[in-house]
Amino acid sequence: MSEENPYAAPSAPIGIEHGETGLILASRGTRLGAALLDGLIYLVIFTPAMFVIGFEKFTDPEWTNSLSTKLLFFVLGIPGFALNWYFVVQNGQTLGKKLVKIRMVRTDGSPLEAKRWFLRRVLPVSLASQIPFVGPWVSIANAAFIFRKDRRCLHDHLADTMVVEA
């Protein structure tokens, strides 16, 4: 008869393996780090425009919510998007994911195609997040999904992808 301490911390493996593929799921912290690095890349791209336009404009809700401003940010975002597209085509990684050594794959372990990455993973959540009143809730729900056991965000479910260690 073994004595088990009912107050002991639960023991769990550090790396959670995806049962069907044997790949190790990326940790939530690593995914956050990759997202922050990707955000920094866009910040580097957008900062010169902020100096040219003027920082005071960015505090004006009428200006920031205008269609012309959204189009401006779309055009300015093209270099960052092209950079990420290149890395996704190469090996299923954005630059941030490459730096922290994780990658996106299909749930069956097969490589992620760039077209699927954009049309089913990036575009739906990006467009939904622009809807007034609903958008912020979509963004929160998208991120909150990562706290499920399978560590997949809403955009992962839409694209049938998962993020694993590279």
Side-chain angles (χ1 to χ4, degrees):
M1 174 191 229
S2 67
E3 290 187 34
E4 198 173 304
N5 181 354
Y7 304 107
S11 61
I14 299 217
I16 296 178
E17 191 174 297
H18 184 260
E20 297 171 19
T21 63
L23 297 169
I24 305 294
L25 295 175
S27 72
R28 293 175 183 99
T30 305
R31 288 187 69 171
L32 175 62
L36 291 173
L37 287 169
D38 284 332
L40 282 174
I41 292 164
Y42 281 99
L43 182 63
V44 167
I45 292 169
F46 286 108
T47 299
M50 291 179 183
F51 277 107
V52 171
I53 295 167
F55 286 101
E56 67 279 351
K57 285 271 197 183
F58 291 90
T59 59
D60 177 8
E62 189 174 313
W63 185 81
T64 55
N65 290 326
S66 72
L67 180 61
S68 59
T69 303
K70 290 184 188 294
L71 288 172
L72 172 68
F73 279 108
F74 174 77
V75 170
L76 289 174
I78 290 173
F81 177 78
L83 182 68
N84 279 333
W85 184 276
Y86 172 78
F87 283 107
V88 169
V89 166
Q90 295 300 310
N91 50 18
Q93 299 171 298
T94 62
L95 185 55
K97 285 179 175 61
K98 186 171 187 62
L99 292 171
V100 298
K101 298 179 173 70
I102 60 177
R103 65 189 173 100
M104 301 168 283
V105 296
R106 299 285 306 275
T107 55
D108 63 2
S110 63
L112 172 65
E113 313 86 27
K115 184 177 172 183
R116 175 178 287 271
W117 166 72
F118 177 68
L119 293 176
R120 295 190 56 188
R121 191 178 158 96
V122 174
L123 193 62
V125 175
S126 297
L127 291 176
S129 69
Q130 298 302 311
I131 301 170
F133 305 110
V134 175
W137 294 106
V138 170
S139 297
I140 291 169
N142 180 41
F145 265 61
I146 201 166
F147 294 105
R148 298 166 32 137
K149 185 179 177 184
D150 65 1
R151 296 183 186 172
R152 294 171 63 209
C153 294
L154 180 58
H155 59 259
D156 290 308
H157 286 279
L158 292 171
D160 188 38
T161 59
M162 60 184 181
V163 180
V164 298
E165 294 180 1

